[in-house]
Amino acid sequence: MSERFPCWYPLQIRFRDLDPLAHVNNAVYFTYFEEARSYYLSLLERWLKEGPGEEALQERQSAENPRIQTGPRATRYGLLVKEVSCTYELPLIRSDRAEVGVRVSHVGRTSFIMEHQIRDAHNHERVFATGRSVMVWCDYRTGRPHPLPPALRQAFEQMEGRSFPTPE
């Protein structure tokens, strides 16, 4: 199961992540997913710079939506989290050496699904948690979903080693 993840992000379990039972608090797993998601997306930059449609990623404009405060120099388009879930398998403790696997499992017209797995960095069969995030490509000005740029879809295909046809 673990080999299907093209990206692994090493975790640093901090003392502040622990709850009174001395294991990682359930809410912190979502932060681990977020850190790994961010790392995965940063790895896409090499393909995004090469691919067509980069202008859709780089278009700049002030936000007009009062619920999305991006500032005057922010991008007009970007990602928002629509949904995130976690299934806990084993408690993580401070001495565990763990990593988070990230993969894109589905790409739609305006959104995509990422799967996450937190496993032991040395014993890969030992899985602490699995998760799923639904990410939406959004026009920050309107606050509404917007079609994914072709360059982003192509970057996912390069990273994942498979195709994600554009839905009709």
Side-chain angles (χ1 to χ4, degrees):
M1 178 175 168
S2 300
E3 284 64 38
R4 65 189 178 129
F5 292 90
C7 173
W8 289 95
Y9 177 77
L11 284 184
Q12 179 180 353
I13 300 172
R14 302 165 197 87
F15 178 76
R16 69 177 180 182
D17 296 346
L18 306 180
D19 64 14
L21 299 175
H23 63 263
V24 173
N25 181 277
N26 63 296
V28 176
Y29 287 70
F30 294 98
T31 301
Y32 295 161
F33 292 163
E34 178 183 38
E35 290 172 354
R37 232 180 9 250
S38 177
Y39 177 69
Y40 177 102
L41 293 170
S42 73
L43 295 176
L44 297 180
E45 289 178 10
R46 65 181 175 217
W47 292 301
L48 291 173
K49 289 177 182 174
E50 297 171 6
E54 183 178 354
E55 64 281 349
L57 293 170
Q58 299 303 320
E59 184 177 337
R60 305 254 178 214
Q61 184 166 341
S62 296
E64 296 174 13
N65 183 335
R67 294 192 175 274
I68 303 173
Q69 302 291 321
T70 60
R73 297 178 57 163
T75 59
R76 177 175 171 182
Y77 301 100
L79 292 172
L80 292 177
V81 176
K82 178 178 175 132
E83 176 185 325
V84 63
S85 63
C86 182
T87 301
Y88 306 94
E89 304 293 340
L90 293 170
L92 269 167
I93 61 174
R94 188 142 196 271
S95 62
D96 285 324
R97 296 294 168 247
E99 58 191 359
V100 183
V102 185
R103 73 182 287 253
V104 171
S105 61
H106 174 78
V107 180
R109 192 178 73 77
T110 62
S111 64
F112 56 94
I113 297 171
M114 299 185 94
E115 294 178 356
H116 315 284
Q117 180 187 81
I118 302 176
R119 72 178 184 187
D120 187 295
H122 303 291
N123 178 1
H124 297 170
E125 299 302 313
R126 198 165 168 234
V127 175
F128 298 104
T130 58
R132 178 178 179 268
S133 301
V134 178
M135 308 297 294
V136 178
W137 188 255
C138 186
D139 179 339
Y140 289 153
R141 191 179 68 199
T142 64
R144 303 292 307 152
H146 190 271
L148 289 167
L152 184 57
R153 183 180 302 278
Q154 291 168 4
F156 288 146
E157 290 176 345
Q158 292 294 321
M159 182 71 150
E160 298 291 334
R162 63 191 189 104
S163 68
F164 293 105
T166 305
E168 298 187 24

